């Protein structure tokens, strides 16, 4: 991450009621209900979520794998 950039917070609004059951909800929120991203990747996140190419949980998992907990790029 560039020194002058700050990570942005992405949060899911997925309620438990929209999931099939507790297991589905746990799977979709396994890596949390929020993650941080570098600003340069926000457009990529928005585009992929909008078309259903990737899910929030996938970005959260990638951020979880980063030593600083920030999604940078896949």
């Amino acid at each position: 991450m560039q020194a002058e950039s700050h990570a942005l917070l992405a949060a899911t609004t997925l309620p438990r009621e929209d999931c099939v059951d507790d297991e589905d909800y746990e799977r979709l929120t396994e890596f949390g209900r929020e993650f941080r991203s570098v600003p340069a990747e926000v457009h990529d996140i928005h585009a992929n979520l909008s078309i259903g190419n990737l899910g929030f949980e996938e970005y959260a998992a990638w951020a979880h794998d980063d030593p600083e907990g920030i999604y940078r790029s896949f």
Side-chain angles (χ1 to χ4, degrees), residues 1-66:
M1 187 167 81
Q2 298 174 357
E4 67 276 358
S5 291
H6 295 284
L8 302 174
L9 181 66
T12 183
T13 58
L14 176 72
R16 163 58 186 93
E17 297 79 31
D18 285 356
C19 297
V20 175
D21 54 26
D22 288 338
E23 288 180 19
D24 187 40
Y25 182 76
E26 289 299 320
R27 181 183 61 78
L28 293 172
T29 59
E30 176 181 359
F31 295 102
R33 295 180 46 82
E34 61 186 37
F35 66 89
R36 297 204 175 270
S37 173
V38 294
E41 294 303 319
V42 172
H43 177 74
D44 172 68
I45 294 167
H46 177 263
N48 281 300
L49 292 176
S50 294
I51 63 172
N53 189 39
L54 295 168
F56 184 90
E57 68 279 5
E58 292 168 293
Y59 285 104
W62 288 320
H64 181 266
D65 290 343
D66 181 79

